[in-house]
Amino acid sequence: MSPIVKKKGEQFTLPGKYLLFILTILCTGLVILTLSTNLLSAPISAVGGFLIVPLQDGISKAGSWLNTRSEELVQIRSLISENEALKAQVDELTIENIKLQQDRYELTNLRELYELDSQYDDYDKVGARIIAKDSGNWFHSFVINKGYDDGLMIDMNVMAGSGLVGRIVDVGPNWSKVMSIIDDNSNTSGMVLSTSDNLIVCGDLELYADGVIRFEKLIDSADRVVEGDKIVTSNVSDKYLPNILIGYISNINVDSNNLTKSGTITPAVDFEHLEEVLVITELKQTVGE
């Protein structure tokens, strides 16, 4: 029987062993042809280069992009961590700076109190801190953290800055209330240091908006009192110890009666910024006893 059998209504068929033999011969021939010539390798290489090289280039670029993004993410995380550390450091430095400013301000106040204490070393004094104040922009009435347990009494004189602040008007076991000389209810017997002429220093909160308070009832017939003269507490004051600086005359006028003069005084104390004060632990009536 012929290896190729053709029947009516059927296609030619080839037995499997013949097909395998033919394919083996064909593959062997192609291998020999490939090894001995570049007839097939060149087109295959060209096709491979056309298909594989762009793929490799794309993979390389994708890998490079991913590597770059990975490095950027690492850098971003590092920068975020560094930024948080710097923020924490800035916060610490800010707190430290505020504390140093407070310490410097407190040191300045303490130096002023020390100098004031040295100027009035004839009087025994105790330091106190202001813990409360009445409403308003200025310290016309306030409370300090010392009381009768510390030996304080009503009418004891209070100083700060460069001179007189006021006097104690109420006292408790560990607190005292102070009325300052700028209060509307305050009247202080004063004296012109250069001439020993007496006058009355009157508190005036409305006038203190311009940084001054009033004085009145100055008798100066010789016209010796001038602007800039120091005003101190008078020897005849019933509440204040003598020769404590009140302030400086900033303006002087003759009254309508042509007998007395009045005007304004710039206080020696800044009543807008007070924190610590000195309390003289002596009363006027006990001086000299």
Side-chain angles (χ1 to χ4, degrees), residues 119-184:
Q119 293 174 14
Y120 298 92
D121 56 1
D122 292 338
Y123 300 134
D124 293 327
K125 296 172 286 294
V126 61
R129 182 179 294 273
I130 297 174
I131 56 175
K133 66 183 286 290
D134 285 354
S135 60
N137 297 327
W138 307 292
F139 287 81
H140 63 95
S141 180
F142 56 87
V143 178
I144 59 177
N145 65 342
K146 298 289 178 68
Y148 56 69
D149 287 347
D150 304 285
L152 304 190
M153 301 172 62
I154 291 176
D155 286 337
M156 283 185 171
N157 298 181
V158 180
M159 300 188 301
S162 300
L164 182 66
V165 170
R167 62 185 178 88
I168 294 176
V169 294
D170 196 7
V171 64
N174 57 358
W175 59 269
S176 297
K177 185 174 183 179
V178 178
M179 181 176 68
S180 69
I181 59 172
I182 68 170
D183 190 89
D184 290 332

Side-chain angles (χ1 to χ4, degrees), residues 19-60:
L19 180 61
L20 177 62
F21 178 76
I22 293 171
L23 291 175
T24 301
I25 296 299
L26 181 61
C27 290
T28 303
L30 290 174
V31 168
I32 294 171
L33 184 63
T34 301
L35 293 175
S36 60
T37 67
N38 61 353
L39 182 63
L40 294 178
S41 61
I44 292 173
S45 297
V47 172
F50 180 77
L51 295 177
I52 296 174
V53 170
L55 180 63
Q56 289 179 335
D57 186 56
I59 293 174
S60 176

Side-chain angles (χ1 to χ4, degrees), residues 90-106:
V90 168
D91 291 340
E92 292 178 359
L93 291 174
T94 301
I95 294 173
E96 184 178 353
N97 185 47
I98 292 173
K99 185 178 179 182
L100 288 173
Q101 289 179 349
Q102 291 174 340
D103 291 344
R104 184 177 63 180
Y105 180 72
E106 185 174 356

Side-chain angles (χ1 to χ4, degrees), residues 179-234:
M179 181 176 68
S180 69
I181 59 172
I182 68 170
D183 190 89
D184 290 332
N185 297 316
S186 174
N187 288 291
T188 307
S189 179
M191 179 181 71
V192 181
L193 186 62
S194 61
T195 65
S196 298
D197 292 321
N198 292 319
L199 48 79
I200 301 297
V201 179
C202 307
D204 192 325
L205 290 177
E206 183 176 355
L207 194 60
Y208 191 70
D210 296 324
V212 295
I213 53 178
R214 293 185 297 113
F215 76 86
E216 58 185 34
K217 297 182 179 179
L218 169 65
I219 299 176
D220 178 33
S221 56
D223 293 329
R224 294 184 300 169
V225 179
V226 296
E227 294 180 3
D229 278 348
K230 287 184 178 181
I231 305 299
V232 298
T233 50
S234 170

